[in-house]
Amino acid sequence: MSEPLARIRPYAPGDEDALVRIWNDTLRRDPITPAVFREKILLDPNFDRAGALVAEAGGRPAGFCLAIARKVPLDGAGLQPERGWITVFFVRPDLQRRGIGRRLIDAALEYLARRGRREVWVATYVPNCFQPGVDVDAYHAGIRLLERAGFVPDHYPVGMGRSLLDYEFPAGVAAREAALAAQGTVVRDFEPRD
């Protein structure tokens, strides 16, 4: 199979819609809206296009990795000149396991190294954290990718809730719902009148 990746490039205006769509198809437990993408990425005072890496395949975005090196001091922590962050990364599901994710991670590490960052944390960036760490239950492939790139766990985050966005109904539920509907029982969303 030939390598589908044409290039890795900095974020460009117009990428947002495709990246949000791919994010939501890939990071199903951590969905995002265009407004949150703009607020937490594009309007972050530490945003640098050179660290917002887009994998492009067939002329379209196919993946993303955001690397942050502080430009604005954080209250009480300063610039943290030794530390950088990879706050999010993903690759379109149909293009995974083809080396694209590794190339994104490597490009992010190069970006951070050029800015003197010797320590890189994944996901725990303040003030615009998307999650407290990589969800070990949901993102096994991402964890394996990070391990192959030399990352080691510092802690294991625990979520205090469970999103149902990626929940899949057990086999037979749709058939049972149809049978109940034929008998006059309707399954519907909760409404205020209830």
Side-chain angles (χ1 to χ4, degrees):
M1 181 178 296
S2 65
E3 174 65 42
L5 182 63
R7 64 184 177 140
I8 293 178
R9 60 168 174 77
Y11 174 87
D15 287 337
E16 179 183 326
D17 290 341
L19 292 177
V20 168
R21 192 170 39 258
I22 298 167
W23 180 317
N24 290 334
D25 287 345
T26 307
L27 303 177
R28 295 182 64 192
R29 285 200 186 168
D30 301 289
I32 194 167
T33 64
V36 171
F37 185 90
R38 284 188 294 275
E39 176 187 339
K40 288 191 168 190
I41 295 177
L42 302 179
L43 298 177
D44 182 328
N46 294 304
F47 176 78
D48 180 351
R49 280 187 59 232
L53 302 161
V54 176
E56 187 178 89
R60 298 177 312 167
F64 183 68
C65 184
L66 181 62
I68 300 285
R70 280 198 203 286
K71 299 186 288 185
V72 176
L74 178 67
D75 289 342
L79 287 173
Q80 296 175 291
E82 74 292 344
R83 184 176 293 172
W85 292 265
I86 295 175
T87 62
V88 67
F89 66 94
F90 53 85
V91 173
R92 209 170 77 201
D94 63 315
L95 294 177
Q96 292 178 6
R97 300 189 193 296
R98 296 186 188 186
I100 297 171
R102 181 58 190 256
R103 288 184 62 190
L104 282 167
I105 294 293
D106 288 346
L109 293 174
E110 288 173 24
Y111 165 84
L112 293 167
R114 284 192 309 270
R115 283 149 184 83
R117 297 337 199 245
R118 296 180 314 278
E119 180 181 304
V120 179
W121 289 68
V122 176
T124 59
Y125 166 71
V126 174
N128 290 324
C129 178
F130 295 104
Q131 55 277 112
V134 181
D135 186 326
V136 297
D137 294 326
Y139 307 126
H140 299 289
I143 290 172
R144 286 192 304 276
L145 172 63
L146 290 169
E147 288 171 345
R148 285 192 304 273
F151 286 85
V152 294
D154 176 75
H155 66 283
Y156 294 94
V158 177
M160 298 304 290
R162 170 66 162 99
S163 171
L164 298 178
L165 293 172
D166 64 345
Y167 178 77
E168 294 182 20
F169 284 97
V173 170
R176 179 72 176 133
E177 185 176 348
L180 288 169
Q183 297 171 4
T185 301
V186 177
V187 177
R188 62 174 171 75
D189 290 335
F190 179 81
E191 296 176 0
R193 66 186 169 127
D194 295 329

